[in-house]
Amino acid sequence: PTEVVTEAPAVELSTEDQQVLIFIQEFGNVAKGQEIFNATYEVNTVSGLAEWRCATCHVVDTDVAGVGPGLYSLSDRAGGRIPGYPAEVYVYHSIMTPLQYIVSGYPENLMPIGYGEVLSQQDIYDVSAYILSLNK
């Protein structure tokens, strides 16, 4: 699928989102995030518990879509997805609440919904930092 960005009203960052931004930028560990990205976890999906890993659906060396969007230049694309949302906040919410932002052309309910239950906040910050580092 091709990614289509739909216009959305500008969002003002909440205090929580401001903290997310700072924690990813200042404390996100890219190497640890890569390790987590490639590890397998048992997470909730629409069909129930299943073993899943980010690298199964997302490629990191290109923007070409697979099952999910290619992540190579996501840092460039994610920053413009929702006016007022920095890329870090968009990526964080895409992992924590994947049904909140569905990229046009992709089915709903494809991304597991349980990463927030099996990964710590720091793990999510680390994965976000890794994803955002891919084209730098």
Short mmCIF file of all heavy atoms in Angstrom, two decimals, residues 78-131:
data_model
loop_
_atom_site.label_atom_id
_atom_site.label_comp_id
_atom_site.label_asym_id
_atom_site.label_seq_id
_atom_site.Cartn_x
_atom_site.Cartn_y
_atom_site.Cartn_z
N ALA A 78 6.81 10.90 9.85
CA ALA A 78 5.97 10.92 11.05
C ALA A 78 5.80 12.32 11.61
O ALA A 78 4.75 12.63 12.17
CB ALA A 78 6.57 10.01 12.13
N GLY A 79 6.79 13.18 11.44
CA GLY A 79 6.70 14.52 11.96
C GLY A 79 5.62 15.37 11.29
O GLY A 79 5.13 16.32 11.88
N GLY A 80 5.22 15.01 10.09
CA GLY A 80 4.19 15.77 9.40
C GLY A 80 2.83 15.10 9.38
O GLY A 80 1.88 15.62 8.79
N ARG A 81 2.73 13.96 9.99
CA ARG A 81 1.48 13.20 9.96
C ARG A 81 0.33 13.93 10.64
O ARG A 81 -0.76 14.00 10.13
CB ARG A 81 1.66 11.92 10.73
CG ARG A 81 1.85 10.60 10.16
CD ARG A 81 1.17 10.08 9.09
NE ARG A 81 2.29 9.74 8.26
CZ ARG A 81 2.60 8.58 7.84
NH1 ARG A 81 1.82 7.63 8.00
NH2 ARG A 81 3.66 8.37 7.15
N ILE A 82 0.59 14.43 11.84
CA ILE A 82 -0.44 15.13 12.61
C ILE A 82 0.13 16.49 12.96
O ILE A 82 1.12 16.57 13.68
CB ILE A 82 -0.81 14.35 13.87
CG1 ILE A 82 -1.21 12.97 13.47
CG2 ILE A 82 -1.83 15.10 14.69
CD1 ILE A 82 -2.23 12.26 14.18
N PRO A 83 -0.47 17.54 12.44
CA PRO A 83 0.06 18.88 12.74
C PRO A 83 0.20 19.10 14.24
O PRO A 83 -0.71 18.83 15.01
CB PRO A 83 -0.99 19.81 12.13
CG PRO A 83 -1.62 18.99 11.03
CD PRO A 83 -1.64 17.58 11.57
N GLY A 84 1.38 19.56 14.64
CA GLY A 84 1.65 19.82 16.05
C GLY A 84 2.27 18.66 16.79
O GLY A 84 2.73 18.81 17.92
N TYR A 85 2.29 17.46 16.18
CA TYR A 85 2.88 16.29 16.82
C TYR A 85 4.28 16.06 16.27
O TYR A 85 4.45 15.82 15.08
CB TYR A 85 2.04 15.05 16.49
CG TYR A 85 1.13 14.56 17.59
CD1 TYR A 85 0.49 15.44 18.44
CD2 TYR A 85 0.88 13.20 17.75
CE1 TYR A 85 -0.36 14.99 19.43
CE2 TYR A 85 0.02 12.75 18.74
CZ TYR A 85 -0.59 13.64 19.56
OH TYR A 85 -1.43 13.21 20.53
N PRO A 86 5.29 16.09 17.11
CA PRO A 86 6.63 15.71 16.66
C PRO A 86 6.66 14.21 16.32
O PRO A 86 5.83 13.44 16.81
CB PRO A 86 7.52 16.00 17.87
CG PRO A 86 6.70 16.80 18.81
CD PRO A 86 5.27 16.52 18.50
N ALA A 87 7.61 13.83 15.51
CA ALA A 87 7.73 12.43 15.10
C ALA A 87 7.79 11.50 16.30
O ALA A 87 7.20 10.42 16.30
CB ALA A 87 8.96 12.25 14.22
N GLU A 88 8.50 11.90 17.35
CA GLU A 88 8.66 11.05 18.54
C GLU A 88 7.31 10.71 19.16
O GLU A 88 7.05 9.56 19.53
CB GLU A 88 9.53 11.74 19.59
CG GLU A 88 10.97 11.92 19.20
CD GLU A 88 11.23 13.20 18.41
OE1 GLU A 88 10.27 13.87 17.98
OE2 GLU A 88 12.42 13.52 18.21
N VAL A 89 6.45 11.70 19.27
CA VAL A 89 5.14 11.49 19.90
C VAL A 89 4.26 10.62 19.00
O VAL A 89 3.57 9.72 19.47
CB VAL A 89 4.48 12.85 20.22
CG1 VAL A 89 3.07 12.66 20.76
CG2 VAL A 89 5.33 13.63 21.21
N TYR A 90 4.32 10.86 17.70
CA TYR A 90 3.54 10.06 16.76
C TYR A 90 3.95 8.59 16.82
O TYR A 90 3.12 7.69 16.90
CB TYR A 90 3.69 10.60 15.34
CG TYR A 90 2.96 9.78 14.32
CD1 TYR A 90 1.61 9.97 14.09
CD2 TYR A 90 3.61 8.78 13.61
CE1 TYR A 90 0.92 9.21 13.17
CE2 TYR A 90 2.94 8.01 12.69
CZ TYR A 90 1.60 8.22 12.47
OH TYR A 90 0.92 7.45 11.56
N VAL A 91 5.26 8.34 16.81
CA VAL A 91 5.76 6.95 16.86
C VAL A 91 5.36 6.30 18.18
O VAL A 91 4.89 5.15 18.21
CB VAL A 91 7.29 6.91 16.64
CG1 VAL A 91 7.86 5.53 16.96
CG2 VAL A 91 7.62 7.29 15.21
N TYR A 92 5.53 7.00 19.28
CA TYR A 92 5.16 6.46 20.59
C TYR A 92 3.70 6.03 20.61
O TYR A 92 3.37 4.91 21.00
CB TYR A 92 5.43 7.52 21.66
CG TYR A 92 4.93 7.14 23.03
CD1 TYR A 92 5.71 6.35 23.87
CD2 TYR A 92 3.68 7.55 23.48
CE1 TYR A 92 5.25 5.99 25.13
CE2 TYR A 92 3.21 7.20 24.74
CZ TYR A 92 4.00 6.42 25.56
OH TYR A 92 3.55 6.06 26.80
N HIS A 93 2.81 6.90 20.17
CA HIS A 93 1.37 6.56 20.17
C HIS A 93 1.04 5.47 19.16
O HIS A 93 0.13 4.68 19.38
CB HIS A 93 0.52 7.81 19.93
CG HIS A 93 0.44 8.69 21.13
ND1 HIS A 93 -0.17 8.30 22.30
CD2 HIS A 93 0.92 9.93 21.36
CE1 HIS A 93 -0.08 9.27 23.20
NE2 HIS A 93 0.59 10.27 22.65
N SER A 94 1.78 5.42 18.06
CA SER A 94 1.55 4.36 17.08
C SER A 94 1.86 2.98 17.66
O SER A 94 1.26 1.99 17.26
CB SER A 94 2.39 4.60 15.83
OG SER A 94 1.96 5.76 15.17
N ILE A 95 2.78 2.93 18.60
CA ILE A 95 3.12 1.66 19.26
C ILE A 95 2.14 1.39 20.41
O ILE A 95 1.63 0.28 20.55
CB ILE A 95 4.57 1.70 19.80
CG1 ILE A 95 5.56 1.80 18.64
CG2 ILE A 95 4.86 0.45 20.65
CD1 ILE A 95 6.98 2.14 19.07
N MET A 96 1.90 2.39 21.22
CA MET A 96 1.07 2.20 22.42
C MET A 96 -0.42 2.06 22.10
O MET A 96 -1.11 1.26 22.73
CB MET A 96 1.28 3.36 23.38
CG MET A 96 2.67 3.42 23.97
SD MET A 96 3.05 1.99 25.00
CE MET A 96 1.99 2.31 26.40
N THR A 97 -0.91 2.84 21.17
CA THR A 97 -2.33 2.81 20.81
C THR A 97 -2.44 2.76 19.28
O THR A 97 -2.81 3.76 18.65
CB THR A 97 -3.08 4.03 21.37
OG1 THR A 97 -2.40 5.22 20.97
CG2 THR A 97 -3.18 3.99 22.88
N PRO A 98 -2.11 1.63 18.70
CA PRO A 98 -2.00 1.55 17.24
C PRO A 98 -3.30 1.83 16.48
O PRO A 98 -3.24 2.21 15.32
CB PRO A 98 -1.51 0.13 16.99
CG PRO A 98 -1.84 -0.62 18.21
CD PRO A 98 -1.80 0.35 19.34
N LEU A 99 -4.42 1.68 17.11
CA LEU A 99 -5.67 1.96 16.41
C LEU A 99 -5.94 3.45 16.30
O LEU A 99 -6.83 3.88 15.55
CB LEU A 99 -6.85 1.27 17.11
CG LEU A 99 -6.79 -0.25 17.12
CD1 LEU A 99 -7.94 -0.84 17.93
CD2 LEU A 99 -6.80 -0.79 15.70
N GLN A 100 -5.17 4.27 17.00
CA GLN A 100 -5.37 5.70 16.98
C GLN A 100 -4.96 6.31 15.64
O GLN A 100 -5.59 7.25 15.17
CB GLN A 100 -4.57 6.35 18.12
CG GLN A 100 -4.85 7.81 18.30
CD GLN A 100 -4.19 8.35 19.58
OE1 GLN A 100 -3.57 7.61 20.34
NE2 GLN A 100 -4.34 9.63 19.80
N TYR A 101 -3.90 5.78 15.04
CA TYR A 101 -3.41 6.32 13.77
C TYR A 101 -3.20 5.18 12.78
O TYR A 101 -2.21 4.48 12.85
CB TYR A 101 -2.07 7.05 13.96
CG TYR A 101 -2.13 8.11 15.02
CD1 TYR A 101 -1.33 8.05 16.14
CD2 TYR A 101 -3.00 9.19 14.89
CE1 TYR A 101 -1.38 9.03 17.12
CE2 TYR A 101 -3.06 10.16 15.87
CZ TYR A 101 -2.26 10.09 16.97
OH TYR A 101 -2.32 11.05 17.93
N ILE A 102 -4.14 5.01 11.89
CA ILE A 102 -4.01 4.00 10.85
C ILE A 102 -3.62 4.71 9.56
O ILE A 102 -4.32 5.60 9.09
CB ILE A 102 -5.34 3.23 10.63
CG1 ILE A 102 -5.86 2.63 11.94
CG2 ILE A 102 -5.18 2.17 9.54
CD1 ILE A 102 -5.00 1.57 12.54
N VAL A 103 -2.49 4.33 9.00
CA VAL A 103 -2.05 4.92 7.75
C VAL A 103 -2.97 4.43 6.65
O VAL A 103 -3.28 3.23 6.56
CB VAL A 103 -0.57 4.53 7.45
CG1 VAL A 103 -0.15 5.02 6.09
CG2 VAL A 103 0.34 5.08 8.53
N SER A 104 -3.42 5.35 5.81
CA SER A 104 -4.31 5.01 4.71
C SER A 104 -3.69 3.90 3.86
O SER A 104 -2.50 3.93 3.55
CB SER A 104 -4.55 6.26 3.86
OG SER A 104 -5.39 5.96 2.79
N GLY A 105 -4.50 2.93 3.52
CA GLY A 105 -4.03 1.81 2.71
C GLY A 105 -3.70 0.57 3.52
O GLY A 105 -3.43 -0.48 2.96
N TYR A 106 -3.69 0.69 4.84
CA TYR A 106 -3.41 -0.44 5.71
C TYR A 106 -4.68 -0.81 6.47
O TYR A 106 -5.44 0.05 6.86
CB TYR A 106 -2.29 -0.12 6.71
CG TYR A 106 -0.96 0.01 6.04
CD1 TYR A 106 -0.51 1.24 5.59
CD2 TYR A 106 -0.16 -1.11 5.81
CE1 TYR A 106 0.72 1.36 4.95
CE2 TYR A 106 1.05 -0.99 5.17
CZ TYR A 106 1.48 0.25 4.75
OH TYR A 106 2.69 0.35 4.10
N PRO A 107 -4.88 -2.10 6.70
CA PRO A 107 -6.09 -2.51 7.43
C PRO A 107 -6.00 -2.16 8.91
O PRO A 107 -4.90 -2.10 9.48
CB PRO A 107 -6.12 -4.03 7.24
CG PRO A 107 -4.72 -4.42 6.94
CD PRO A 107 -4.07 -3.24 6.27
N GLU A 108 -7.14 -1.91 9.50
CA GLU A 108 -7.20 -1.73 10.95
C GLU A 108 -6.97 -3.08 11.61
O GLU A 108 -7.11 -4.12 10.99
CB GLU A 108 -8.56 -1.18 11.36
CG GLU A 108 -8.79 0.24 10.89
CD GLU A 108 -10.11 0.80 11.38
OE1 GLU A 108 -10.66 0.30 12.37
OE2 GLU A 108 -10.56 1.77 10.76
N ASN A 109 -6.63 -3.05 12.86
CA ASN A 109 -6.49 -4.26 13.67
C ASN A 109 -5.35 -5.17 13.22
O ASN A 109 -5.37 -6.35 13.51
CB ASN A 109 -7.80 -5.05 13.71
CG ASN A 109 -8.92 -4.24 14.30
OD1 ASN A 109 -8.70 -3.45 15.21
ND2 ASN A 109 -10.11 -4.40 13.78
N LEU A 110 -4.38 -4.64 12.50
CA LEU A 110 -3.25 -5.46 12.08
C LEU A 110 -2.12 -5.42 13.11
O LEU A 110 -1.55 -6.43 13.45
CB LEU A 110 -2.76 -4.98 10.72
CG LEU A 110 -1.72 -5.85 10.02
CD1 LEU A 110 -2.27 -7.25 9.79
CD2 LEU A 110 -1.34 -5.23 8.70
N MET A 111 -1.84 -4.24 13.61
CA MET A 111 -0.77 -4.08 14.60
C MET A 111 -1.26 -4.58 15.96
O MET A 111 -2.38 -4.26 16.37
CB MET A 111 -0.40 -2.59 14.70
CG MET A 111 0.58 -2.27 15.78
SD MET A 111 2.17 -1.88 15.12
CE MET A 111 2.91 -1.15 16.57
N PRO A 112 -0.44 -5.37 16.65
CA PRO A 112 -0.83 -5.83 17.99
C PRO A 112 -1.13 -4.66 18.92
O PRO A 112 -0.50 -3.61 18.81
CB PRO A 112 0.38 -6.61 18.47
CG PRO A 112 1.09 -7.01 17.23
CD PRO A 112 0.85 -5.89 16.25
N ILE A 113 -2.05 -4.88 19.82
CA ILE A 113 -2.48 -3.81 20.72
C ILE A 113 -1.90 -3.95 22.12
O ILE A 113 -2.18 -3.13 22.97
CB ILE A 113 -4.02 -3.76 20.81
CG1 ILE A 113 -4.56 -5.13 21.23
CG2 ILE A 113 -4.62 -3.30 19.50
CD1 ILE A 113 -6.05 -5.19 21.45
N GLY A 114 -1.08 -4.95 22.35
CA GLY A 114 -0.65 -5.23 23.71
C GLY A 114 0.79 -4.92 24.05
O GLY A 114 1.28 -5.35 25.08
N TYR A 115 1.49 -4.15 23.22
CA TYR A 115 2.89 -3.87 23.55
C TYR A 115 3.04 -3.11 24.86
O TYR A 115 4.00 -3.31 25.60
CB TYR A 115 3.59 -3.12 22.42
CG TYR A 115 3.99 -4.02 21.28
CD1 TYR A 115 3.48 -3.83 20.02
CD2 TYR A 115 4.87 -5.07 21.48
CE1 TYR A 115 3.84 -4.67 18.96
CE2 TYR A 115 5.23 -5.92 20.45
CZ TYR A 115 4.72 -5.71 19.19
OH TYR A 115 5.07 -6.53 18.16
N GLY A 116 2.10 -2.26 25.18
CA GLY A 116 2.15 -1.51 26.44
C GLY A 116 1.99 -2.40 27.66
O GLY A 116 2.34 -2.01 28.77
N GLU A 117 1.49 -3.62 27.44
CA GLU A 117 1.32 -4.57 28.54
C GLU A 117 2.56 -5.43 28.77
O GLU A 117 2.75 -5.95 29.86
CB GLU A 117 0.12 -5.47 28.26
CG GLU A 117 -1.19 -4.72 28.17
CD GLU A 117 -2.30 -5.57 27.57
OE1 GLU A 117 -2.12 -6.78 27.39
OE2 GLU A 117 -3.36 -4.98 27.27
N VAL A 118 3.39 -5.58 27.74
CA VAL A 118 4.57 -6.46 27.88
C VAL A 118 5.90 -5.71 27.86
O VAL A 118 6.91 -6.27 28.25
CB VAL A 118 4.58 -7.57 26.79
CG1 VAL A 118 3.39 -8.48 26.94
CG2 VAL A 118 4.65 -6.99 25.40
N LEU A 119 5.88 -4.48 27.41
CA LEU A 119 7.09 -3.68 27.38
C LEU A 119 6.98 -2.55 28.39
O LEU A 119 5.90 -2.00 28.59
CB LEU A 119 7.32 -3.09 25.98
CG LEU A 119 7.52 -4.08 24.85
CD1 LEU A 119 7.61 -3.34 23.52
CD2 LEU A 119 8.75 -4.95 25.07
N SER A 120 8.09 -2.19 28.99
CA SER A 120 8.09 -1.08 29.93
C SER A 120 8.04 0.24 29.15
O SER A 120 8.29 0.27 27.94
CB SER A 120 9.36 -1.11 30.79
OG SER A 120 10.49 -0.79 29.99
N GLN A 121 7.78 1.33 29.87
CA GLN A 121 7.81 2.65 29.23
C GLN A 121 9.18 2.88 28.61
O GLN A 121 9.28 3.38 27.50
CB GLN A 121 7.50 3.74 30.25
CG GLN A 121 6.04 3.88 30.59
CD GLN A 121 5.23 4.38 29.42
OE1 GLN A 121 4.37 3.67 28.92
NE2 GLN A 121 5.47 5.57 28.98
N GLN A 122 10.24 2.52 29.34
CA GLN A 122 11.59 2.71 28.81
C GLN A 122 11.79 1.91 27.54
O GLN A 122 12.42 2.38 26.59
CB GLN A 122 12.65 2.34 29.86
CG GLN A 122 14.06 2.63 29.39
CD GLN A 122 14.31 4.09 29.11
OE1 GLN A 122 14.04 4.93 29.96
NE2 GLN A 122 14.82 4.41 27.92
N ASP A 123 11.26 0.68 27.49
CA ASP A 123 11.37 -0.13 26.27
C ASP A 123 10.72 0.58 25.09
O ASP A 123 11.27 0.58 23.98
CB ASP A 123 10.69 -1.49 26.47
CG ASP A 123 11.42 -2.41 27.42
OD1 ASP A 123 12.61 -2.19 27.69
OD2 ASP A 123 10.78 -3.37 27.90
N ILE A 124 9.55 1.18 25.31
CA ILE A 124 8.85 1.89 24.24
C ILE A 124 9.67 3.11 23.80
O ILE A 124 9.79 3.40 22.61
CB ILE A 124 7.44 2.31 24.66
CG1 ILE A 124 6.60 1.09 25.09
CG2 ILE A 124 6.74 3.08 23.54
CD1 ILE A 124 6.30 0.08 24.03
N TYR A 125 10.25 3.81 24.76
CA TYR A 125 11.12 4.95 24.41
C TYR A 125 12.31 4.47 23.58
O TYR A 125 12.70 5.11 22.60
CB TYR A 125 11.63 5.67 25.65
CG TYR A 125 10.58 6.24 26.55
CD1 TYR A 125 10.77 6.27 27.93
CD2 TYR A 125 9.37 6.75 26.06
CE1 TYR A 125 9.80 6.80 28.78
CE2 TYR A 125 8.40 7.27 26.91
CZ TYR A 125 8.62 7.29 28.26
OH TYR A 125 7.67 7.81 29.10
N ASP A 126 12.88 3.34 23.96
CA ASP A 126 14.04 2.81 23.25
C ASP A 126 13.67 2.38 21.83
O ASP A 126 14.40 2.70 20.88
CB ASP A 126 14.63 1.62 24.01
CG ASP A 126 15.24 2.01 25.35
OD1 ASP A 126 15.49 3.21 25.59
OD2 ASP A 126 15.45 1.09 26.18
N VAL A 127 12.56 1.68 21.66
CA VAL A 127 12.13 1.27 20.32
C VAL A 127 11.84 2.50 19.47
O VAL A 127 12.22 2.56 18.30
CB VAL A 127 10.88 0.34 20.39
CG1 VAL A 127 10.29 0.13 19.01
CG2 VAL A 127 11.25 -0.99 21.01
N SER A 128 11.19 3.48 20.06
CA SER A 128 10.90 4.72 19.33
C SER A 128 12.19 5.39 18.88
O SER A 128 12.31 5.83 17.72
CB SER A 128 10.08 5.68 20.20
OG SER A 128 8.83 5.12 20.55
N ALA A 129 13.17 5.48 19.77
CA ALA A 129 14.46 6.09 19.43
C ALA A 129 15.13 5.32 18.30
O ALA A 129 15.70 5.92 17.36
CB ALA A 129 15.36 6.15 20.66
N TYR A 130 15.06 3.99 18.35
CA TYR A 130 15.65 3.17 17.29
C TYR A 130 14.97 3.44 15.95
O TYR A 130 15.64 3.72 14.94
CB TYR A 130 15.55 1.68 17.64
CG TYR A 130 15.86 0.78 16.48
CD1 TYR A 130 17.14 0.76 15.93
CD2 TYR A 130 14.89 -0.03 15.92
CE1 TYR A 130 17.44 -0.05 14.84
CE2 TYR A 130 15.18 -0.84 14.83
CZ TYR A 130 16.45 -0.84 14.30
OH TYR A 130 16.74 -1.63 13.21
N ILE A 131 13.67 3.40 15.93
CA ILE A 131 12.93 3.62 14.69
C ILE A 131 13.25 5.00 14.10
O ILE A 131 13.44 5.14 12.90
CB ILE A 131 11.40 3.47 14.93
CG1 ILE A 131 11.06 2.00 15.22
CG2 ILE A 131 10.60 3.99 13.75
CD1 ILE A 131 9.65 1.79 15.75
#
